Amino acid sequence: MDRLDELAVFVAILDAGSLAVAARRLHRSAPAVTRALATLEARLGVRLIERTTRRLTPTEAGRRLGADARHALAAYSDALRPTTDAAPRGMLRITAPLIFGRRHVTPVVASFLAAYLAMQADLLLADRNLDMLEEGLDVALRIGPPADSLPPQHRIGEVRRVVVASPAYLSARGEPDAPAALARHAVVHVVGRPTSAEWRFRVGGRERVVRLAPRLTVNEIEAALVAVRAGHGIARVLSYQVAEELAAGALVRLLRAFEPPALAVSLVAASADPPSRVRAFLEHAVPALSALAVVQAEG
């Protein structure tokens, strides 16, 4: 292994926080990556990485070497750029929430692939925040505070938690005029994990918790919306999930004056110094997603 490749392996370990994840990203075996790190530490005579059961953490010497290695690798890449094909190539792994990903991220990924013919993409849609390091992901679309602490984050807009019901339901049961009135209504509650049935509202500038007694509890947004559209109750969802129904009048937005603050929508890169393929995707995706009507701030 040459010295420059050795530095590239070390930077990959720092970015991944895991020898196994670094090996997957580099398409090498885990023992080969472990040997490369051990060889580098032995040559320098210092420990570069502290190993724990959950994560690898760079020592002070490791952080200094990491910074120098990134500069060296960037300079090498810049030196080669005039004589090589600079078009991004390789695999890009992206994650996004299920509905947002299906409706909005998939078209952006498809248009990116149309523009960069040497690229491939693996899009994982899930209504839970996948661990970017463990899953070997390059970019994640996050709603609310990202679960991962890694920079950089590119804010593309915001969405809100909205309470909705069908016109037929409201005609039969009336419209709640305050969060406390939900106790008199049929509630369709969506849960992603075992939790108490409660919704949080903003009342008089302060957060208020309303405990619910749902008529129906489901673990999937689309199932809840089937019931709500059919007039069986009131649900709380994210604004982008019902944007079309609200615009068409198929659903009605309730308790708007009591909605909690908006949630940020961001693209998060797994590395503070992403490779060119990730930078190219961010340059393509951030403007496209920022232009979506569903993430625009409400006046």
Side-chain angles (χ1 to χ4, degrees), residues 72-209:
L73 293 168
Y76 178 73
S77 178
D78 290 341
L80 292 182
R81 190 168 293 123
T83 58
T84 61
D85 179 10
R89 62 180 60 248
M91 175 63 71
L92 188 70
R93 304 196 75 231
I94 307 159
T95 184
L98 188 58
I99 295 177
F100 198 101
R102 182 190 305 139
R103 296 179 184 176
H104 305 300
V105 178
T106 300
V108 171
V109 172
S111 64
F112 174 75
L113 294 178
Y116 295 93
L117 299 181
M119 288 294 306
Q120 302 90 45
D122 185 6
L123 179 58
L124 286 75
L125 303 182
D127 283 334
R128 61 184 178 88
N129 285 352
L130 301 178
D131 187 295
M132 297 185 71
L133 298 179
E134 289 299 323
E135 299 289 340
L137 296 163
D138 297 300
V139 180
L141 186 134
R142 298 292 199 221
I143 297 176
D148 309 278
S149 60
L150 299 174
Q153 301 171 29
H154 303 268
R155 184 183 171 102
I156 63 171
E158 64 183 41
V159 295
R160 305 192 75 92
R161 298 183 187 92
V162 297
V163 177
V164 297
S166 71
Y169 175 88
L170 297 175
S171 177
R173 299 287 299 272
E175 181 175 336
D177 58 359
L182 290 169
R184 301 191 297 273
H185 286 268
V187 169
V188 179
H189 185 50
V190 185
V191 294
R193 60 186 64 85
T195 184
S196 59
E198 60 183 40
W199 292 346
R200 296 176 185 272
F201 293 91
R202 185 172 50 186
V203 180
R206 301 180 64 181
E207 184 180 85
R208 290 288 185 268
V209 176

